[in-house]
């Protein structure tokens, strides 16, 4: 469960001279904080009703497919960008994070200070493009280190051809 990681404090009850009070699950002091709590019991166990478009999309996805989630954004309190590329040991359902209910295996998160010179959205698009490439995707599954991922990115870029903007006859393209 992602919300109750090993070593995290679980919420509970603290007995004080003033009676029992609910303990926050973390050190923030907010009794309503849910960080570290297992909220799976709060979730509705009934399967979500899919729309016709979602069913059509799900039917086009191969059995056993796993998703990559790319999250990018800004945070005023950051002085420098923070990035994480995570491969879970097994695909996990992360609620409605994906458009259709398939397990997520990879997560890419990039947060940075709001700065007009940094376009985090484009970095997210680049990561999504990498993960859509079958060769890189397979390399991401096999990677054992950060260097393995960087090497795979370099190999992807060496094999990529970038075309400037313009109108092209699609029949002439490779």
């Amino acid at each position: 469960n992602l919300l109750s990681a090993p070593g995290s404090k679980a919420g509970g009850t603290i007995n004080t001279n003033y009676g029992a009070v609910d303990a926050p699950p973390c050190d923030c002091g907010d009794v309503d904080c849910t960080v570290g709590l297992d909220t799976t019991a709060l979730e509705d166990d009934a399967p979500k009703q899919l729309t016709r478009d979602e069913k059509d999309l799900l039917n086009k996805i191969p059995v056993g497919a796993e998703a990559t989630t790319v999250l990018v954004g800004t945070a005023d309190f950051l002085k420098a960008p923070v990035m994480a590329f995570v491969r879970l040991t097994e695909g996990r359902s992360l609620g409605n994070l994906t458009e259709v209910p398939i397990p997520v295996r990879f997560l890419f998160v990039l947060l940075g200070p709001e700065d007009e010179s940094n376009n985090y959205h484009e970095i997210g698009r680049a990561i999504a493009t990498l993960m859509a490439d079958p060769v890189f995707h397979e390399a991401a599954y096999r990677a054992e280190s950060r260097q393995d991922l960087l090497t795979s990115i370099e190999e992807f870029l060496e094999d990529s051809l970038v075309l400037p903007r313009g109108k092209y006859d699609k029949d002439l393209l490779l």
Side-chain angles (χ1 to χ4, degrees):
N1 186 331
L2 293 176
L3 295 178
S4 57
S8 66
K9 293 183 179 180
T13 302
I14 297 176
N15 291 313
T16 68
N17 293 337
Y18 305 103
V21 296
D22 287 328
C26 70
D27 296 327
C28 74
D30 183 359
V31 175
D32 295 326
C33 180
T34 59
V35 172
L37 284 182
D38 182 356
T39 60
T40 54
L42 304 175
E43 296 173 2
D44 186 7
D45 287 338
K48 175 189 165 202
Q49 293 297 319
L50 298 177
T51 66
R52 193 180 84 160
D53 289 340
E54 290 170 333
K55 288 178 185 175
D56 290 345
L57 179 58
L58 195 55
N59 287 334
K60 294 177 183 177
I61 298 172
V63 174
E66 295 177 315
T68 297
T69 296
V70 177
L71 304 168
V72 297
T74 60
D76 293 338
F77 60 87
L78 291 174
K79 303 236 184 287
V82 177
M83 179 179 58
F85 183 83
V86 178
R87 179 185 64 208
L88 301 173
T89 53
E90 59 184 49
R92 295 292 219 167
S93 174
L94 299 180
N96 63 354
L97 191 59
T98 55
E99 190 170 343
V100 292
I102 59 173
V104 174
R105 173 64 76 98
F106 296 96
L107 294 122
F108 176 82
V109 180
L110 171 61
L111 286 173
E114 200 160 334
D115 181 358
E116 290 183 24
S117 66
N118 292 323
N119 194 343
Y120 304 121
H121 179 77
E122 293 302 319
I123 295 171
R125 286 180 60 191
I127 294 297
T129 301
L130 280 169
M131 291 305 293
D133 178 69
V135 175
F136 180 82
H137 188 256
E138 189 62 34
Y141 270 98
R142 288 191 321 269
E144 294 182 13
S145 68
R146 178 181 181 195
Q147 188 57 50
D148 290 346
L149 278 176
L150 293 174
T151 300
S152 297
I153 292 171
E154 288 173 7
E155 290 171 359
F156 174 86
L157 292 173
E158 287 175 6
D159 293 338
S160 297
L161 175 64
V162 179
L163 299 173
R165 263 191 259 190
K167 294 183 180 180
Y168 297 98
D169 181 355
K170 293 181 182 180
D171 294 330
L172 297 176
L173 297 177
L174 298 175

